[in-house]
């Protein structure tokens, strides 16, 4: 049926369809009427249709020209396709599909020139299709840049480097002691660059988790970080000081208790020795000995006692 299409039908087609102004000839109406470009990308086992004009860089891409020809008017045509990827690369072929990849993110205009050689027509019918594509880097990695350690009750500012094309939607949450909290949602932030800064104050020591989910128009990545939060140095010092104070107090108490009988003896001795001195000698100089006695160390005290001892007995 298709083979015996008279040429007047094509002439009729020429007249009916509005001709689009262009150097390619009167049949450039193909651009709007007879087909479209469809983009596919394959990541892992999955193939995605990228019809929003956004593509991932470094990902095998397939662009297909889907001819709209329900009446099979072009069934006898021999097609040629010239694909200009917009990055300097031009691919020619006879298939309505091209396989390539954009190695770099950026904005490109992909242009396809279709040529249909009809046996009935001397000059080939051409059509030009173009599509602006935005090539984005998929989010591949989230890296914690710092700091290296965290202290409790102290504001920490965590810096991350996120590989991928912005803008990105980031949702993050801290899990105390890494306990999963179904009820807790995450905090949503918009990221317009590749660095993410999160401010957080840890309320307890030990292991904590941070869940981060990042998404851009073409990819998504979810990851979790384990963070060890140690005691605040300040609190630590305070603790040590408290312990030291308690120890000192305890030792002092023990000392006092242990030395009490000595002290009593000593004061008795001192008192009696003093009395002896007062009795035997001048009161002025010797009373000083008694005063210094109470404030000197135990060793000194014993020495004094020994000194005083003979004087007492004498
Ligand atoms: C790909 O397919 C295999 C088996 O069919 C499966 O085990 C694997 O998880 C898939 N990978 C992805 C990224 O979906
Ligand atoms: C195909 O040809 C028919 C006439 O046979 C015409 O009515 C129709 O518009 C043509 N279709 C296209 C897509 O050119
Ligand atoms: C690419 O185009 C989009 C709009 O389509 C724009 O927002 C973006 O800034 C452009 N990127 C570059 C690198 O020019
Ligand atoms: C964290 O604090 C810094 C300044 O100290 C600020 O620039 C940044 O926006 C804050 N981040 C968040 C998520 O609030």
């Amino acid at each position: 049926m298709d083979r015996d299409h008279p040429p007047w039908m094509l002439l009729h087609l020429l007249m009916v369809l509005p001709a689009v102004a262009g150097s390619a000839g009167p049949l450039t109406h193909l651009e709007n009427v007879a087909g479209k470009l469809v983009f596919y990308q394959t990541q892992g086992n999955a193939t995605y249709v990228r019809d929003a004009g956004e593509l991932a860089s470094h990902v095998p891409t397939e662009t297909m020209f889907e001819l709209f020809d329900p009446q099979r008017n072009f069934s006898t045509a021999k097609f040629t396709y010239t694909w200009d990827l917009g990055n300097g690369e031009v691919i020619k072929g006879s298939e309505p599909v091209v396989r390539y990849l954009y190695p770099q993110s950026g904005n490109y205009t992909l242009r396809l020139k279709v040529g249909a050689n009809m046996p009935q027509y001397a000059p080939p019918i051409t059509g030009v299709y173009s599509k602006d594509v935005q090539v984005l880097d998929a989010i591949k990695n989230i890296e914690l840049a710092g700091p290296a350690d965290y202290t409790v009750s102290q504001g920490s500012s965590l810096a991350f480097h996120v590989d991928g094309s912005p803008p990105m939607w980031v949702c993050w949450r801290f899990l105390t002691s890494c306990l999963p909290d179904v009820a807790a949602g995450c905090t949503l932030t918009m990221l317009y660059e590749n660095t993410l800064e999160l401010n957080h104050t840890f309320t307890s020591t030990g292991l904590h988790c941070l869940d981060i989910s990042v998404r851009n128009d073409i990819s998504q990545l979810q990851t979790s970080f384990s963070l060890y939060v140690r005691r605040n140095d300040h609190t630590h010092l305070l603790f040590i000081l408290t312990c030291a104070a308690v120890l000192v107090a305890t030792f002092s108490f023990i000392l006092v208790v242990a030395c009490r009988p000595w002290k009593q003896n000593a004061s008795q001795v001192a008192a009696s020795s003093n009395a002896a001195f007062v009795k035997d000698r001048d009161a002025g100089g010797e009373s000083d000995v008694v005063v210094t006695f109470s404030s000197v160390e135990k060793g000194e005290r014993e020495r004094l006692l020994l000194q005083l001892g003979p004087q007492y007995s004498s």
Side-chain angles (χ1 to χ4, degrees):
M1 166 200 164
D2 299 300
R3 287 196 178 268
D4 37 64
H5 265 172
W8 62 263
M9 274 192 124
L10 276 166
L11 271 172
H12 176 70
L13 168 81
L14 259 170
M15 280 143 63
V16 167
L17 295 166
V20 175
S23 58
L27 266 185
T28 44
H29 63 265
L30 277 174
E31 189 171 351
N32 295 317
V33 180
K36 62 171 179 171
L37 293 172
V38 188
F39 292 79
Y40 299 95
Q41 285 200 309
T42 308
Q43 272 173 301
N45 308 353
T47 299
Y48 302 93
V49 179
R50 306 283 197 200
D51 52 2
E54 283 165 329
L55 297 174
S57 62
H58 292 287
V59 171
T61 309
E62 210 173 82
T63 301
M64 204 172 271
F65 174 66
E66 285 183 359
L67 182 73
F68 181 72
D69 186 21
Q71 278 135 320
R72 297 175 61 81
N73 302 353
F74 293 94
S75 61
T76 55
K78 272 190 148 173
F79 291 97
T80 58
Y81 301 89
T82 308
W83 308 86
D84 182 344
L85 304 185
N87 62 352
E89 203 179 334
V90 177
I91 302 167
K92 289 186 183 194
S94 58
E95 293 293 315
V97 64
V98 63
R99 292 172 188 89
Y100 60 99
L101 60 78
Y102 282 109
Q104 282 214 313
S105 59
N107 290 345
Y108 304 93
T109 301
L110 181 135
R111 267 177 236 279
L112 166 66
K113 195 174 168 185
V114 189
N117 288 290
M118 308 282 282
Q120 303 96 322
Y121 261 83
I125 303 157
T126 58
V128 176
Y129 298 79
S130 72
K131 176 92 176 169
D132 289 330
V133 290
Q134 191 177 0
V135 179
L136 303 168
D137 290 327
I139 301 156
K140 289 185 212 85
N141 189 31
I142 304 172
E143 196 182 320
L144 175 59
D149 51 19
Y150 312 91
T151 44
V152 73
S153 313
Q154 223 168 48
S156 300
S157 185
L158 291 84
F160 296 88
H161 181 82
V162 186
D163 264 348
S165 291
M168 294 181 267
W169 290 263
V170 183
C171 218
W172 51 276
R173 62 173 175 183
F174 285 93
L175 295 175
T176 304
S177 308
C178 293
L179 295 172
D181 189 351
V182 192
C186 58
T187 310
L188 191 67
T189 336
M190 195 75 178
L191 199 61
Y192 295 99
E193 51 191 5
N194 288 101
T195 28
L196 169 68
E197 198 164 88
L198 299 180
N199 304 319
H200 188 69
T201 303
F202 294 97
T203 51
S204 62
T205 56
L207 204 61
H208 294 255
C209 286
L210 167 63
D211 287 349
I212 304 183
S213 163
V214 186
R215 180 172 69 81
N216 68 6
D217 277 340
I218 50 142
S219 62
Q220 182 171 348
L221 185 70
Q222 195 162 354
T223 189
S224 188
F225 294 90
S226 300
L227 310 167
Y228 187 78
V229 179
R230 57 182 179 78
R231 263 200 299 266
N232 194 327
D233 272 344
H234 186 63
T235 341
H236 197 59
L237 198 71
L238 214 73
F239 179 73
I240 290 177
L241 284 176
T242 314
C243 282
V246 168
L247 279 174
V248 165
T250 313
F251 273 115
S252 308
F253 180 73
I254 291 169
L255 262 176
V256 166
V257 169
C259 297
R260 196 186 281 162
W262 277 99
K263 218 173 178 179
Q264 279 172 350
N265 286 351
S267 48
Q268 279 168 6
V269 171
S272 37
S273 69
N274 190 28
F277 279 125
V278 170
K279 218 185 270 174
D280 299 342
R281 299 181 189 188
D282 254 42
E286 299 310 317
S287 63
D288 279 345
V289 174
V290 179
V291 172
T292 46
F293 174 78
S294 55
S295 65
V296 290
E297 295 290 310
K298 194 186 163 199
E300 192 91 9
R301 204 180 290 160
E302 281 170 335
R303 195 171 56 80
L304 279 168
L305 275 171
L306 286 170
Q307 284 175 351
L308 290 169
Q311 285 167 338
Y312 169 63
S313 57
S314 66

Short mmCIF file of all heavy atoms in Angstrom, two decimals, residues 49-93:
data_model
loop_
_atom_site.label_atom_id
_atom_site.label_comp_id
_atom_site.label_asym_id
_atom_site.label_seq_id
_atom_site.Cartn_x
_atom_site.Cartn_y
_atom_site.Cartn_z
N VAL A 49 14.28 7.60 31.84
CA VAL A 49 13.90 8.51 30.76
C VAL A 49 14.17 9.92 31.28
O VAL A 49 13.69 10.30 32.34
CB VAL A 49 12.40 8.36 30.40
CG1 VAL A 49 12.02 9.33 29.29
CG2 VAL A 49 12.10 6.94 29.97
N ARG A 50 15.00 10.65 30.57
CA ARG A 50 15.33 12.02 30.98
C ARG A 50 14.64 12.99 30.04
O ARG A 50 15.26 13.51 29.13
CB ARG A 50 16.85 12.23 30.92
CG ARG A 50 17.67 11.22 31.68
CD ARG A 50 17.63 11.49 33.16
NE ARG A 50 18.72 10.79 33.83
CZ ARG A 50 18.71 10.53 35.14
NH1 ARG A 50 17.69 10.88 35.90
NH2 ARG A 50 19.73 9.90 35.71
N ASP A 51 13.38 13.18 30.31
CA ASP A 51 12.65 14.05 29.39
C ASP A 51 12.58 15.49 29.85
O ASP A 51 11.99 16.33 29.20
CB ASP A 51 11.24 13.49 29.12
CG ASP A 51 10.49 13.21 30.39
OD1 ASP A 51 11.05 13.48 31.48
OD2 ASP A 51 9.35 12.71 30.33
N ALA A 52 13.20 15.79 31.00
CA ALA A 52 13.16 17.16 31.51
C ALA A 52 14.36 17.98 31.02
O ALA A 52 14.53 19.11 31.42
CB ALA A 52 13.12 17.14 33.03
N GLY A 53 15.16 17.40 30.16
CA GLY A 53 16.31 18.15 29.65
C GLY A 53 17.49 18.15 30.58
O GLY A 53 18.42 18.92 30.41
N GLU A 54 17.44 17.28 31.60
CA GLU A 54 18.57 17.19 32.52
C GLU A 54 19.20 15.81 32.41
O GLU A 54 18.52 14.79 32.47
CB GLU A 54 18.10 17.45 33.95
CG GLU A 54 17.87 18.92 34.20
CD GLU A 54 17.08 19.20 35.46
OE1 GLU A 54 16.24 18.36 35.82
OE2 GLU A 54 17.30 20.26 36.05
N LEU A 55 20.51 15.81 32.25
CA LEU A 55 21.25 14.57 32.10
C LEU A 55 22.35 14.51 33.14
O LEU A 55 22.82 15.53 33.61
CB LEU A 55 21.87 14.50 30.70
CG LEU A 55 20.96 14.48 29.48
CD1 LEU A 55 21.80 14.55 28.21
CD2 LEU A 55 20.10 13.23 29.47
N ALA A 56 22.74 13.28 33.43
CA ALA A 56 23.87 13.09 34.35
C ALA A 56 25.15 12.98 33.53
O ALA A 56 25.17 12.33 32.49
CB ALA A 56 23.65 11.84 35.18
N SER A 57 26.20 13.59 34.03
CA SER A 57 27.49 13.47 33.35
C SER A 57 28.06 12.09 33.60
O SER A 57 27.71 11.42 34.58
CB SER A 57 28.44 14.54 33.87
OG SER A 57 28.67 14.36 35.24
N HIS A 58 28.98 11.66 32.73
CA HIS A 58 29.68 10.37 32.87
C HIS A 58 28.76 9.16 32.81
O HIS A 58 29.17 8.07 33.19
CB HIS A 58 30.46 10.29 34.20
CG HIS A 58 31.61 11.22 34.25
ND1 HIS A 58 32.76 11.02 33.55
CD2 HIS A 58 31.77 12.39 34.92
CE1 HIS A 58 33.59 12.01 33.78
NE2 HIS A 58 33.02 12.87 34.60
N VAL A 59 27.52 9.36 32.39
CA VAL A 59 26.58 8.24 32.37
C VAL A 59 26.22 7.94 30.92
O VAL A 59 25.91 8.87 30.16
CB VAL A 59 25.32 8.59 33.21
CG1 VAL A 59 24.24 7.55 33.01
CG2 VAL A 59 25.67 8.72 34.67
N PRO A 60 26.29 6.65 30.53
CA PRO A 60 25.92 6.30 29.15
C PRO A 60 24.53 6.82 28.80
O PRO A 60 23.56 6.59 29.54
CB PRO A 60 25.94 4.77 29.16
CG PRO A 60 26.86 4.42 30.27
CD PRO A 60 26.72 5.49 31.30
N THR A 61 24.48 7.55 27.71
CA THR A 61 23.24 8.22 27.32
C THR A 61 22.84 7.75 25.92
O THR A 61 23.70 7.49 25.08
CB THR A 61 23.46 9.74 27.31
OG1 THR A 61 24.04 10.13 28.55
CG2 THR A 61 22.16 10.50 27.12
N GLU A 62 21.54 7.65 25.74
CA GLU A 62 21.02 7.25 24.46
C GLU A 62 19.95 8.26 24.09
O GLU A 62 19.05 8.53 24.89
CB GLU A 62 20.37 5.86 24.62
CG GLU A 62 20.42 5.03 23.38
CD GLU A 62 19.93 3.62 23.66
OE1 GLU A 62 18.71 3.42 23.68
OE2 GLU A 62 20.77 2.74 23.90
N THR A 63 20.08 8.84 22.91
CA THR A 63 19.05 9.75 22.45
C THR A 63 18.42 9.16 21.21
O THR A 63 19.12 8.72 20.29
CB THR A 63 19.62 11.15 22.17
OG1 THR A 63 20.20 11.64 23.37
CG2 THR A 63 18.54 12.11 21.71
N MET A 64 17.10 9.13 21.23
CA MET A 64 16.36 8.48 20.16
C MET A 64 15.47 9.51 19.48
O MET A 64 14.87 10.35 20.14
CB MET A 64 15.50 7.38 20.80
CG MET A 64 15.13 6.26 19.84
SD MET A 64 14.33 4.96 20.75
CE MET A 64 15.74 3.98 21.22
N PHE A 65 15.44 9.40 18.20
CA PHE A 65 14.50 10.23 17.45
C PHE A 65 13.28 9.38 17.13
O PHE A 65 13.38 8.37 16.43
CB PHE A 65 15.14 10.75 16.15
CG PHE A 65 14.18 11.49 15.29
CD1 PHE A 65 13.64 12.71 15.71
CD2 PHE A 65 13.79 10.97 14.06
CE1 PHE A 65 12.74 13.39 14.91
CE2 PHE A 65 12.87 11.66 13.26
CZ PHE A 65 12.35 12.86 13.69
N GLU A 66 12.16 9.77 17.71
CA GLU A 66 10.93 9.01 17.48
C GLU A 66 10.11 9.72 16.41
O GLU A 66 9.57 10.80 16.64
CB GLU A 66 10.13 8.89 18.80
CG GLU A 66 10.74 7.89 19.76
CD GLU A 66 9.93 7.71 21.03
OE1 GLU A 66 8.87 8.37 21.19
OE2 GLU A 66 10.36 6.89 21.86
N LEU A 67 10.05 9.09 15.30
CA LEU A 67 9.31 9.66 14.16
C LEU A 67 7.82 9.48 14.38
O LEU A 67 7.36 8.41 14.78
CB LEU A 67 9.75 8.95 12.88
CG LEU A 67 9.13 9.42 11.57
CD1 LEU A 67 9.68 10.77 11.15
CD2 LEU A 67 9.36 8.39 10.46
N PHE A 68 7.10 10.56 14.15
CA PHE A 68 5.64 10.45 14.24
C PHE A 68 5.12 10.35 12.80
O PHE A 68 5.08 11.34 12.08
CB PHE A 68 5.07 11.66 14.97
CG PHE A 68 3.57 11.59 15.10
CD1 PHE A 68 2.98 10.69 15.97
CD2 PHE A 68 2.75 12.42 14.34
CE1 PHE A 68 1.60 10.62 16.08
CE2 PHE A 68 1.37 12.34 14.45
CZ PHE A 68 0.79 11.45 15.32
N ASP A 69 4.76 9.13 12.45
CA ASP A 69 4.33 8.91 11.06
C ASP A 69 3.27 7.82 11.05
O ASP A 69 3.50 6.71 10.55
CB ASP A 69 5.55 8.52 10.22
CG ASP A 69 5.22 8.42 8.74
OD1 ASP A 69 4.20 9.02 8.32
OD2 ASP A 69 5.97 7.74 8.04
N PRO A 70 2.10 8.10 11.61
CA PRO A 70 1.09 7.04 11.72
C PRO A 70 0.62 6.50 10.37
O PRO A 70 0.22 5.35 10.29
CB PRO A 70 -0.06 7.71 12.48
CG PRO A 70 0.15 9.16 12.32
CD PRO A 70 1.61 9.39 12.15
N GLN A 71 0.71 7.37 9.37
CA GLN A 71 0.24 6.90 8.05
C GLN A 71 1.38 6.33 7.22
O GLN A 71 1.20 6.05 6.04
CB GLN A 71 -0.45 8.05 7.31
CG GLN A 71 -1.88 8.21 7.78
CD GLN A 71 -2.24 9.68 8.02
OE1 GLN A 71 -1.44 10.44 8.56
NE2 GLN A 71 -3.43 10.06 7.62
N ARG A 72 2.50 6.23 7.84
CA ARG A 72 3.67 5.63 7.20
C ARG A 72 4.02 6.28 5.87
O ARG A 72 4.41 5.63 4.90
CB ARG A 72 3.47 4.12 7.04
CG ARG A 72 3.32 3.42 8.40
CD ARG A 72 2.99 1.95 8.27
NE ARG A 72 4.03 1.20 7.55
CZ ARG A 72 5.15 0.78 8.11
NH1 ARG A 72 5.39 1.03 9.38
NH2 ARG A 72 6.03 0.10 7.41
N ASN A 73 3.92 7.60 5.88
CA ASN A 73 4.25 8.35 4.67
C ASN A 73 5.73 8.25 4.34
O ASN A 73 6.12 8.37 3.20
CB ASN A 73 3.89 9.83 4.81
CG ASN A 73 2.41 10.03 5.11
OD1 ASN A 73 1.65 9.08 5.07
ND2 ASN A 73 2.03 11.24 5.39
N PHE A 74 6.56 8.04 5.39
CA PHE A 74 8.01 8.02 5.17
C PHE A 74 8.59 6.61 5.19
O PHE A 74 9.78 6.42 5.35
CB PHE A 74 8.70 8.87 6.25
CG PHE A 74 8.39 10.33 6.14
CD1 PHE A 74 7.37 10.91 6.87
CD2 PHE A 74 9.14 11.13 5.28
CE1 PHE A 74 7.10 12.25 6.76
CE2 PHE A 74 8.87 12.49 5.17
CZ PHE A 74 7.84 13.05 5.90
N SER A 75 7.71 5.64 5.00
CA SER A 75 8.19 4.26 5.11
C SER A 75 9.20 3.90 4.03
O SER A 75 10.00 3.00 4.22
CB SER A 75 7.01 3.29 5.09
OG SER A 75 6.33 3.43 3.86
N THR A 76 9.18 4.59 2.95
CA THR A 76 10.12 4.27 1.87
C THR A 76 11.38 5.13 1.95
O THR A 76 12.29 4.95 1.15
CB THR A 76 9.45 4.50 0.49
OG1 THR A 76 8.96 5.83 0.46
CG2 THR A 76 8.33 3.51 0.26
N ALA A 77 11.38 6.04 2.91
CA ALA A 77 12.50 6.98 2.99
C ALA A 77 13.73 6.32 3.59
O ALA A 77 13.65 5.41 4.41
CB ALA A 77 12.10 8.19 3.80
N LYS A 78 14.87 6.80 3.16
CA LYS A 78 16.15 6.40 3.75
C LYS A 78 16.63 7.58 4.56
O LYS A 78 16.80 8.68 4.03
CB LYS A 78 17.16 6.07 2.65
CG LYS A 78 17.10 4.62 2.20
CD LYS A 78 18.29 4.33 1.32
CE LYS A 78 18.75 2.89 1.44
NZ LYS A 78 19.80 2.59 0.47
N PHE A 79 16.86 7.34 5.82
CA PHE A 79 17.17 8.47 6.70
C PHE A 79 18.67 8.58 6.96
O PHE A 79 19.38 7.57 7.02
CB PHE A 79 16.45 8.32 8.04
CG PHE A 79 14.96 8.50 7.95
CD1 PHE A 79 14.12 7.40 7.83
CD2 PHE A 79 14.40 9.78 7.98
CE1 PHE A 79 12.75 7.56 7.75
CE2 PHE A 79 13.03 9.95 7.90
CZ PHE A 79 12.20 8.83 7.78
N THR A 80 19.10 9.79 7.12
CA THR A 80 20.45 10.04 7.63
C THR A 80 20.31 10.95 8.85
O THR A 80 19.46 11.84 8.88
CB THR A 80 21.35 10.73 6.58
OG1 THR A 80 20.74 11.95 6.19
CG2 THR A 80 21.60 9.84 5.38
N TYR A 81 21.13 10.69 9.84
CA TYR A 81 21.04 11.47 11.08
C TYR A 81 22.40 12.08 11.39
O TYR A 81 23.42 11.39 11.38
CB TYR A 81 20.62 10.57 12.25
CG TYR A 81 19.28 9.90 12.03
CD1 TYR A 81 19.20 8.66 11.40
CD2 TYR A 81 18.11 10.50 12.47
CE1 TYR A 81 17.98 8.04 11.20
CE2 TYR A 81 16.87 9.89 12.26
CZ TYR A 81 16.82 8.65 11.63
OH TYR A 81 15.61 8.06 11.42
N THR A 82 22.41 13.35 11.66
CA THR A 82 23.64 14.02 12.07
C THR A 82 23.39 14.63 13.45
O THR A 82 22.54 15.50 13.61
CB THR A 82 24.03 15.13 11.06
OG1 THR A 82 24.04 14.55 9.75
CG2 THR A 82 25.39 15.71 11.38
N TRP A 83 24.11 14.09 14.41
CA TRP A 83 23.93 14.51 15.80
C TRP A 83 25.08 15.43 16.20
O TRP A 83 26.23 15.01 16.20
CB TRP A 83 23.93 13.31 16.74
CG TRP A 83 22.99 12.21 16.36
CD1 TRP A 83 23.22 11.18 15.48
CD2 TRP A 83 21.67 12.01 16.87
NE1 TRP A 83 22.14 10.36 15.41
CE2 TRP A 83 21.15 10.84 16.25
CE3 TRP A 83 20.86 12.70 17.77
CZ2 TRP A 83 19.89 10.35 16.51
CZ3 TRP A 83 19.59 12.21 18.04
CH2 TRP A 83 19.11 11.05 17.41
N ASP A 84 24.74 16.64 16.57
CA ASP A 84 25.74 17.57 17.09
C ASP A 84 25.48 17.69 18.58
O ASP A 84 24.45 18.23 19.00
CB ASP A 84 25.59 18.93 16.39
CG ASP A 84 26.64 19.93 16.84
OD1 ASP A 84 27.29 19.68 17.89
OD2 ASP A 84 26.79 20.97 16.17
N LEU A 85 26.38 17.15 19.36
CA LEU A 85 26.15 17.08 20.81
C LEU A 85 26.28 18.44 21.49
O LEU A 85 25.92 18.58 22.66
CB LEU A 85 27.10 16.08 21.46
CG LEU A 85 27.07 14.64 20.90
CD1 LEU A 85 27.97 13.75 21.72
CD2 LEU A 85 25.64 14.09 20.89
N GLY A 86 26.82 19.41 20.79
CA GLY A 86 26.93 20.74 21.39
C GLY A 86 28.20 20.94 22.19
O GLY A 86 28.44 22.02 22.72
N ASN A 87 29.01 19.89 22.26
CA ASN A 87 30.30 20.01 22.97
C ASN A 87 31.45 19.80 21.99
O ASN A 87 32.55 19.46 22.39
CB ASN A 87 30.37 19.01 24.12
CG ASN A 87 30.29 17.57 23.65
OD1 ASN A 87 30.02 17.30 22.47
ND2 ASN A 87 30.53 16.64 24.55
N GLY A 88 31.14 19.97 20.70
CA GLY A 88 32.17 19.81 19.69
C GLY A 88 32.14 18.46 19.01
O GLY A 88 32.81 18.26 18.00
N GLU A 89 31.36 17.56 19.56
CA GLU A 89 31.32 16.20 19.01
C GLU A 89 30.13 16.08 18.05
O GLU A 89 29.01 16.49 18.39
CB GLU A 89 31.15 15.20 20.17
CG GLU A 89 31.62 13.80 19.83
CD GLU A 89 31.46 12.85 21.00
OE1 GLU A 89 31.46 13.32 22.17
OE2 GLU A 89 31.33 11.65 20.77
N VAL A 90 30.42 15.54 16.86
CA VAL A 90 29.36 15.34 15.87
C VAL A 90 29.38 13.87 15.46
O VAL A 90 30.43 13.32 15.15
CB VAL A 90 29.57 16.25 14.64
CG1 VAL A 90 28.50 15.98 13.58
CG2 VAL A 90 29.55 17.72 15.05
N ILE A 91 28.22 13.23 15.51
CA ILE A 91 28.11 11.80 15.18
C ILE A 91 27.10 11.65 14.04
O ILE A 91 25.98 12.18 14.13
CB ILE A 91 27.66 10.98 16.41
CG1 ILE A 91 28.64 11.18 17.57
CG2 ILE A 91 27.54 9.50 16.06
CD1 ILE A 91 28.14 10.69 18.91
N LYS A 92 27.52 10.93 13.02
CA LYS A 92 26.61 10.70 11.88
C LYS A 92 26.24 9.24 11.82
O LYS A 92 27.03 8.36 12.20
CB LYS A 92 27.29 11.10 10.57
CG LYS A 92 27.44 12.60 10.43
CD LYS A 92 27.97 12.95 9.05
CE LYS A 92 28.18 14.46 8.98
NZ LYS A 92 28.37 14.95 7.63
N GLY A 93 25.00 8.95 11.37
CA GLY A 93 24.59 7.56 11.26
C GLY A 93 23.27 7.42 10.53
O GLY A 93 22.65 8.42 10.15
#
